[in-house]
Amino acid sequence: MARNRHIKPEQVVTIVNAIHTWDRGAIAWDDVCKLAKPVLGYLPSRSGLSSHADIQAAFSARKKNLAQQPEGKMPSPGSLADASRMLAARDAEISALKKLVDEYRDKFDRWRYNAMLHNVTIDRLDAPLPQIARRK
């Protein structure tokens, strides 16, 4: 297997969508690697896939979601109209969350740039909050 192959952004999106739609029980990195093989044309390594933040986030979210999901099938909607309303509500929520994530990314980029201008180090940014001395 060749090392350090570049994964294109559209391939990352395809892999992330495959992770989000995973419905075969618990998910593992081996499963994600097998999912990615037809997309990439080779069997990638776990470290190669997890180095992409979007793939790592999708994997962690799906794994957490599957762990919290009760066993068995989820109840299906009573009618096609109910299903359509449920999907429309989820689509609206997803688009709102995507917009929020984009706003947070923009804000983070602005903060990172300003911190760099003022020579603020990562260690200083990651410093813990001070303890508050409270009276008893």
Side-chain angles (χ1 to χ4, degrees):
M1 179 176 74
R3 295 179 60 192
N4 300 326
R5 289 195 186 178
H6 179 70
I7 300 176
K8 297 176 185 162
E10 57 270 9
Q11 292 171 324
V12 171
V13 170
T14 304
I15 294 168
V16 166
N17 288 337
I19 293 171
H20 285 309
T21 58
W22 180 264
D23 61 351
R24 294 178 241 154
I27 190 169
W29 277 109
D30 287 339
D31 301 323
V32 177
C33 292
K34 290 175 187 170
L35 276 174
K37 184 177 181 179
V39 174
L40 300 174
Y42 63 94
L43 185 65
S45 66
R46 176 219 180 273
S47 60
L49 291 177
S50 65
S51 66
H52 294 272
D54 292 340
I55 295 174
Q56 176 67 47
F59 177 80
S60 298
R62 189 64 184 145
K63 189 166 185 91
K64 183 177 180 182
N65 188 359
L66 288 172
Q68 293 174 349
Q69 192 175 28
E71 288 297 321
K73 286 214 168 226
M74 298 296 289
S76 59
S79 69
L80 192 56
D82 290 341
S84 177
R85 279 192 293 275
M86 287 172 59
L87 288 175
R90 285 189 182 162
D91 287 344
E93 182 181 9
I94 288 169
S95 65
L97 290 172
K98 283 184 178 180
K99 182 180 178 195
L100 183 64
V101 166
D102 288 339
E103 290 172 5
Y104 283 147
R105 283 187 179 152
D106 291 342
K107 185 180 279 192
F108 174 75
D109 289 340
R110 190 171 53 248
W111 286 354
R112 183 180 56 180
Y113 175 78
N114 288 331
M116 182 190 66
L117 279 181
H118 298 288
N119 295 325
V120 178
T121 64
I122 296 292
D123 293 334
R124 188 157 183 190
L125 289 172
D126 285 337
L129 295 173
Q131 293 292 327
I132 299 173
R134 298 178 191 239
R135 293 183 184 168
K136 289 186 180 185

